[in-house]
Amino acid sequence: SSAKTAGYTVAGTDRNGVIRFSGLSADVTLTLPAASGLTGFRFTFINLDGTYGVTADGNGSETIDGFTTRKTFGSDPIELYCDGSNWFTVSGSWLYYSGDIAYTNGSTGTLAHGLGKRPKNIWYELRCNTTELNYSVNDVAVSSDADFTDGGIYTGMSSTIDATNIVYRVSSNGFFLTNKTTGVVAPITAANWRLRVYAET
């Protein structure tokens, strides 16, 4: 396998090999060669960076699964196959990651996911930015959406998704978490946390 820290163009020597991305300083592009004459060419790439994305880009108007580009932030290995005209995903999932979002209760936002088609899965996490409810800085927690019927309190967030964007809306009541050590459920302070949104095809 070969390790890359910047954008890269797939070469003939990558046939049946693995291209690994890590230590990136920005989003990068994995440029695919012209498909003509490459029938049966396969290779796998994996993005191990954890912060920045890798965009696979077909040559000219050539496509990947029918799309001119596809982007992933995930660490799931993706195997691509060429039929001599275009490229196709054989295995692996394409993942979008928003990075840390500073949000406020009741806020909304639009995220361009770059996956090329409507995601089949979407989920979110909260990363502790300032100690609260016995969570330490950089702890990651998941808040379950809740309806406290005795007070009519709705918490969490909702999203609408299409082939291009994720549009999210945080509840005006924000998020509730279970205290890390006591188990008592309480609202969190938006300024103390960062929202992370993920989507997968």
Side-chain angles (χ1 to χ4, degrees), residues 83-101:
D83 70 351
S85 298
N86 293 291
W87 296 83
F88 300 90
T89 302
V90 176
S91 62
S93 297
W94 298 82
L95 178 73
Y96 166 77
Y97 167 52
S98 67
D100 289 350
I101 301 169

Side-chain angles (χ1 to χ4, degrees), residues 104-178:
T104 56
N105 293 350
S107 63
T108 187
T110 299
L111 307 170
H113 54 68
L115 293 171
K117 63 179 181 178
R118 186 179 186 275
K120 63 182 178 182
N121 294 317
I122 182 170
W123 67 97
Y124 68 89
E125 297 174 343
L126 295 163
R127 184 185 66 81
C128 186
N129 192 52
T130 302
T131 303
E132 185 176 28
L133 299 181
N134 291 310
Y135 289 92
S136 301
V137 172
N138 292 323
D139 276 354
V140 175
V142 178
S143 171
S144 296
D145 293 346
D147 170 15
F148 296 96
T149 54
D150 58 342
I153 299 175
Y154 293 85
T155 70
M157 62 177 281
S158 62
S159 303
T160 55
I161 53 178
D162 59 26
T164 305
N165 295 315
I166 301 166
V167 181
Y168 68 87
R169 165 72 76 178
V170 177
S171 164
S172 59
N173 297 309
F175 298 96
F176 280 54
L177 284 177
T178 301

